[in-house]
Amino acid sequence: MKSTTKYVLNVLLIIVLSVLTAWYLSKTQIITPTSLLSLKWTNCIFVVTWVYMCFAFLSLIEKHVYSSFCNYPYKTAFLTTVYGALGSAVSPLKSAHFPLKVYAQKTNGMTIAQTLTGITKCQIIFSATSIVVYAVLMAIFIFSKAKLNIADMTLPTFTVVGIGFVSNVSIFILLTLISRIDKLRTVILRLLAFIASIFNRKLNKEEFMQKKTERLNLFKEQTSAIFSKFYLFIFPSLAYVLYMFLSCLAPYVSYLCVSGTGFSFNDCIRFYTCALALTYLVNVIPIPGGCVVAEFVFSVVFAPITGVYLSRTLLLWRFCTYYIPTTINLGIFVVSSIKSTKRNT
C-alpha cells in the first residue's frame, strides 16, 4: 500500500513539474507555438518505435543471460523491461526499476531466487561491458584530441566519457571489495543501517544487514561464475555494446527527423557523447522522470549542435522517449496486472 502511494505521489509530482517545465520553456522561448505545431506524427511514431526497438533488443539480451540457468520466455523478458522502464519513469531513484522488474517476473511464475540471480548476472555483465566501452572511447578521444562544446565551454571529449568510466569502475571495485572483505562489509553495512534507520525508525537493523549481506554474497558468487566462464557471455556483452549506442542515439534520431539532414558519423558521435553527459547530469538530481532537469540540461548541452532545430528536437525527443512510452508502459502494466489477477483467481 505504501509503495502504491509513493508511485501515485510521484506521478502527481511529474504532472506538476511537467506543467512548470512547459511554462519555463515557453517563457524562455526555447519552445514556441511554431515548434509545437511543426511536430509531425510520422516523426513521433518513428522515434517511439526506436525506443521500443531498444526495449526489444535489451529484452533479447536479458533473455540470453537468464536462459543460462532457467526457462525465460521472451514475453517475460519484454514485460520485465517495460515494467522496469515504467518504474524508472515514475520514481526519483535510479534503482527504482528493480522492484517492478521483480514484480513482473514473479507474476510470470519465476521464483525470487531466479529473479535475483538473473538481475545480478545482468548488472555484472552490463557494468563490466560499460567499463570496457568507456575505456576504449576514452583512448580514441584522447588520441584524436576531440573537443566538445557545451554551454559556451569547450571540453576534451574524453572527460565526458571519463565520468562514466570512473563511476562504473568505482562502483564495481567497491562492491567487489565489500563482498569479499568481511570486516569492510560489516563496517559499511552498519553505517548504511544507521543512515536508513534515521529515515525509518521501525527499521530492523539486523534484518537490513542480513538482506544486504545476502545480496553481496550473490554478487560475489555470480561475479566468480561469470568471469570463470566468460566465453558463455560474449554474445550478451557484445550485444549490450550495441544497445548502449542505440539507446543513447535517441536525441540524434530526433534531430535527424526534424532537421531533414543526412546521417553523419561525426555528428552521431557528438550526439552520443552529449547524451552521456545528459544522462549523468539528470541522474545526479533525484526527480521523478528527470522532469525539469532533463529539459533544462538538454537545452544547454545540445544547443551548440542542434542550432535552430533545438526546440523541435527537444520536443520530439522528450515526448517520444518519456511521456508517450511512459503512458504506453502504464497501459501495458495495467492490462497485464488485470490478466494476471484473473489468471490467479
Side-chain angles (χ1 to χ4, degrees), residues 127-164:
S127 295
T129 303
S130 297
I131 290 171
V132 174
V133 170
Y134 291 144
V136 172
L137 287 174
M138 280 181 64
I140 293 173
F141 291 143
I142 291 173
F143 180 77
S144 64
K145 298 180 179 179
K147 304 289 184 180
L148 189 66
N149 295 320
I150 298 179
D152 298 326
M153 295 186 298
T154 301
L155 302 172
T157 306
F158 78 86
T159 58
V160 177
V161 181
I163 297 173

Side-chain angles (χ1 to χ4, degrees), residues 238-255:
L238 293 176
Y240 189 70
V241 172
L242 181 58
Y243 168 78
M244 286 178 66
F245 282 95
L246 292 176
S247 59
C248 282
L249 288 181
Y252 185 50
V253 172
S254 301
Y255 171 74

Side-chain angles (χ1 to χ4, degrees), residues 10 12-26 28 30-31 89 278 281-301 314 317-318 322-323:
N10 284 333
L12 293 175
L13 181 58
I14 289 170
I15 294 173
V16 173
L17 291 175
S18 297
V19 172
L20 291 175
T21 302
W23 174 82
Y24 166 77
L25 293 174
S26 61
T28 54
I30 295 175
I31 300 298
L278 172 67
L281 293 170
V282 170
N283 287 336
V284 167
I285 304 174
I287 294 178
C291 290
V292 181
V293 180
E295 290 82 1
F296 175 75
V297 174
F298 188 100
S299 65
V300 173
V301 171
L314 170 56
W317 167 76
R318 191 57 171 157
Y322 179 70
Y323 290 104

Side-chain angles (χ1 to χ4, degrees), residues 200-255:
N200 182 6
R201 296 184 179 278
K202 296 181 180 180
L203 178 74
N204 186 318
K205 293 183 180 180
E206 293 301 322
E207 184 179 327
F208 175 88
M209 291 179 63
Q210 180 62 32
K211 287 183 178 180
K212 295 297 181 183
T213 300
E214 291 173 358
R215 300 286 176 84
L216 287 168
N217 288 336
L218 183 59
F219 174 83
K220 175 183 175 181
E221 173 192 318
Q222 293 305 319
T223 302
S224 300
I226 290 171
F227 284 101
S228 64
K229 295 184 178 180
F230 69 92
Y231 53 87
L232 295 176
F233 303 99
I234 292 177
F235 167 75
S237 297
L238 293 176
Y240 189 70
V241 172
L242 181 58
Y243 168 78
M244 286 178 66
F245 282 95
L246 292 176
S247 59
C248 282
L249 288 181
Y252 185 50
V253 172
S254 301
Y255 171 74

